[in-house]
Amino acid sequence: MAFSADELRVLRRALAVALHPVPLPDEDVQDCLRLADSVDDASREAGRLRAFLLADLGRYRSALPGAAASYLELLQDALATGYDPRPEDLAALRTLRGNPVGVAVLNRCQALAEQSVRARLAGRCTPAPRTRLLALPGGRASGDAKEQPRPEPRKPQPSKPEPGERPVPKPSEVFPPRRRPMPPPEQLAAG
């Protein structure tokens, strides 16, 4: 996840307030809330992209053995990003035992699956859900004793970007379909 210069400024200020609570002006509180919304949007988009990639992996798995090279490449990419191999992945890899890359990926997946099972049994594999930012310590100016109304929640934006703003790319634009290399054209010998 990448932050813009303005977002880094807001993040740095919020971290400083977390370490040394001081009253914040309302404008700074609004900046922090907007940053929290942006992080939430990015998390949702990352979830959508992950779901897309996992569906793509399932499509390649169902097309085995014809799509073995593409499936192995996509599975290795998924493993590099923290994907836990599923039983159907292990079963599919067992059918590819004649492929040396398939054997190496199978060994790696078996080791990862075993680690995952051991971690779940030990109870260390329960991720804490991400909570919303509800309050900032010292988030209101010290002179404000009365309760301020909360800002209105953001409404979904129209799909048309504002001038100067880049549209969010679709997963198919970010990850174009993989093309098979073309064999070199036959060269005719003169003579």
Side-chain angles (χ1 to χ4, degrees):
M1 182 179 300
F3 292 104
S4 70
D6 287 336
E7 289 171 335
L8 283 175
R9 180 184 49 80
V10 171
L11 186 59
R12 186 178 311 144
R13 197 169 49 235
L15 290 174
V17 167
L19 292 173
H20 305 287
V22 294
L24 282 176
D26 284 341
E27 180 181 321
D28 289 348
V29 172
Q30 294 302 320
D31 287 344
C32 290
L33 292 173
R34 277 192 292 276
L35 179 61
D37 284 342
S38 296
V39 169
D40 287 341
D41 289 343
S43 296
R44 281 191 296 273
E45 188 62 31
R48 284 183 49 219
L49 179 60
R50 182 170 175 81
F52 171 79
L53 292 175
L54 291 179
D56 207 22
L57 185 64
R59 283 191 290 275
Y60 280 107
R61 185 184 322 113
S62 65
L64 288 175
S70 298
Y71 173 70
L72 291 171
E73 186 179 338
L74 193 58
L75 181 59
Q76 288 176 0
D77 291 345
L79 292 172
T81 62
Y83 173 72
D84 276 336
R86 298 179 179 167
E88 53 267 19
D89 292 314
L90 296 172
L93 288 170
R94 286 185 189 106
T95 65
L96 300 175
R97 283 192 176 151
N99 184 333
V101 176
V103 172
V105 174
L106 174 62
N107 291 337
R108 182 176 174 201
C109 285
Q110 285 175 332
L112 289 173
E114 185 177 329
Q115 288 174 358
S116 178
V117 168
R118 287 179 191 265
R120 278 192 299 247
L121 290 176
R124 295 178 288 156
C125 195
T126 54
R130 185 178 181 281
T131 58
R132 291 268 313 143
L133 176 65
L134 298 177
L136 294 172
R140 299 285 179 197
S142 59
D144 285 344
K146 63 180 183 175
E147 188 174 317
Q148 298 284 336
R150 289 188 171 201
E152 290 293 320
R154 290 179 48 186
K155 294 182 174 69
Q157 298 291 329
S159 60
K160 186 174 158 185
E162 294 182 21
E165 195 175 305
R166 290 181 15 195
V168 177
K170 298 178 195 171
S172 61
E173 295 169 342
V174 176
F175 300 100
R178 298 174 193 238
R179 307 251 186 251
R180 294 184 183 194
M182 297 296 295
E186 294 182 29
Q187 295 180 359
L188 299 175

